[in-house]
Amino acid sequence: MYLKKILWAVAILGLLICGFVAYQIYSAIFSPNTQFNNQEAYVYIPSDAIFTDVRTSLEPLLKDLSSFEAVARRKGYTTNVKPGKYALKKGMNNNEIINTLRSANIPVRVSFNNQESLPALAGRISEQIEADSLSLLQAFNDPAFLKASHFDEDSKLGMYLPNTYEFFWNTSAEGFRERMWTEYDRFWNEERRKKAQNLGLTPNQVTALAAIVQKETVKADERPRVAGVYLNRVKRGMLLQADPTVIYAIKKETGNYDTIIKRVLYRDLEMDSPYNTYKYAGIPPGPITMPDISSIDAVLNPEKHDYLYFVADVSNFGYHIFAKTLAQHNRNKVQYTRWLNEQKVLR
């Protein structure tokens, strides 16, 4: 009888121990283990990260790191870390957290606008994905890639179409570049290439001309008219005489693309640069900025007219006054020159 009681006691104690262990395992796996107040917290895991790096990143977000690590080992995550951006939701348990870190890499929205140089683009992109600006710039300038994609030193800026794209945060510099090449190739479909051909232009020339249009007017609805002016000049063999190209030539020569020039002076027009359209005929060898899609399409679908000149309209800022003759243009220009002088815009 006494032995029987002992056996029952041992059995009950065993059950209690098993229950306690099971509870501990269940708690470690399925109990909520977040300690942030927001509904979501984002974790960025670099491509070269190991589990200790992940543990450090999660330290301020989790209640119990030890239980997380125990479950991570049990699920094989400690030796199979995945880079990327991950969203942890408030109240997640360790099992959910690890499943998220293993398979729920979420994309980021990458945006860039009208950069005037590839270093500027590299800096902008490096703020949004893992790749640093140096590796991006090396990828942009890779001679083998430029040769394969038919870009050169002057035209390579035009491959990058300003827009908003989705990337995984851990996209490499080469991965970003290849995606941009794909987007460029998709944009220049058969219809657009045919329109460029009808204008007697290559896609690179269209982009270069669109960059001038981009700089000349911020008004998208005016861009087809401005494009028409420059195309009329090209057809007649006239100099484009676009002030933004002179400004770009100055920036390119000095290497300082942050220079602010509001007024082009007569001495600037003598600058010896293939980008100086007051001195050299035709379309510049490359774009002076990354033109918007609206500017490229404005060149491909220009307004049909006989205008050859335009000047800023000081009575309707952002827009321009157009003229068919030089005499008309000179009369129109008086109001703009007077306004510059009144505003003391000397440079």
Side-chain angles (χ1 to χ4, degrees), residues 118-340:
L118 288 180
L121 175 64
R124 180 82 179 91
I125 300 305
S126 68
E127 297 171 351
Q128 302 175 76
I129 63 174
E130 182 185 11
D132 60 58
S133 57
L134 181 59
S135 62
L136 284 162
L137 195 55
Q138 289 174 338
F140 297 163
N141 291 317
D142 178 45
F145 170 76
L146 293 175
K147 183 177 180 180
S149 55
H150 306 292
F151 287 100
D152 58 25
E153 187 64 28
D154 291 303
S155 63
K156 62 187 178 183
L157 185 68
M159 194 190 86
Y160 303 89
L161 296 171
N163 212 330
T164 298
Y165 305 91
E166 282 196 347
F167 284 88
F168 287 117
W169 175 78
N170 55 302
T171 298
S172 67
E174 291 76 15
F176 175 81
R177 181 196 66 196
E178 294 300 326
R179 167 71 180 283
M180 289 297 94
W181 167 239
T182 299
E183 294 292 340
Y184 177 89
D185 197 46
R186 181 182 295 123
F187 174 80
W188 280 102
N189 54 29
E190 184 177 351
E191 180 183 0
R192 285 193 174 97
R193 289 181 181 275
K194 183 65 175 177
K195 287 181 177 180
Q197 185 179 11
N198 290 340
L199 292 170
L201 303 176
T202 66
N204 283 339
Q205 288 176 314
V206 170
T207 300
L209 194 55
I212 298 174
V213 173
Q214 176 81 35
K215 282 292 188 179
E216 289 285 18
T217 179
V218 297
K219 303 296 186 181
D221 60 330
E222 192 184 52
R223 286 171 181 165
R225 177 167 291 190
V226 172
V229 170
Y230 284 122
L231 286 168
N232 286 344
R233 283 178 163 263
V234 169
K235 289 175 186 175
R236 297 190 184 200
M238 297 173 64
L239 292 169
L240 295 186
Q241 295 184 324
D243 286 0
T245 65
V246 179
I247 294 171
Y248 179 79
I250 295 171
K251 293 180 177 181
K252 186 174 176 64
E253 182 174 88
T254 62
N256 184 4
Y257 289 90
D258 294 326
T259 303
I260 297 175
I261 301 174
K262 296 182 179 180
R263 187 171 188 171
V264 173
L265 306 177
Y266 285 113
R267 68 170 182 263
D268 298 329
L269 306 184
E270 297 303 318
M271 184 176 187
D272 190 16
S273 166
Y275 287 90
N276 181 357
T277 56
Y278 280 84
K279 197 174 184 68
Y280 289 89
I283 298 171
I288 60 175
T289 190
M290 297 171 187
D292 289 344
I293 289 173
S294 65
S295 293
I296 298 174
D297 281 340
V299 173
L300 293 174
N301 304 278
E303 184 178 308
K304 306 296 183 182
H305 55 61
D306 296 323
Y307 295 129
L308 293 170
Y309 308 91
F310 62 92
V311 67
D313 185 354
V314 297
S315 65
N316 189 14
F317 281 106
Y319 287 96
H320 296 78
I321 301 173
F322 295 80
K324 297 178 182 179
T325 68
L326 182 58
Q328 290 174 340
H329 174 64
N330 286 336
R331 288 195 295 271
N332 293 337
K333 196 166 76 169
V334 170
Q335 50 90 36
Y336 180 60
T337 303
R338 184 187 301 120
W339 180 86
L340 287 176

Side-chain angles (χ1 to χ4, degrees), residues 16-62:
L16 289 173
I17 292 172
C18 289
F20 178 76
V21 171
Y23 174 76
Q24 290 295 102
I25 293 174
Y26 180 87
S27 296
I29 297 175
F30 298 110
S31 293
N33 193 27
T34 61
Q35 64 174 0
F36 49 86
N37 294 321
N38 295 333
Q39 291 303 308
E40 282 188 333
Y42 294 103
V43 178
Y44 295 85
I45 300 177
S47 296
D48 59 353
I50 58 176
F51 181 71
T52 53
D53 300 316
V54 177
R55 194 178 189 280
T56 300
S57 297
L58 293 176
E59 187 171 359
L61 303 176
L62 304 186

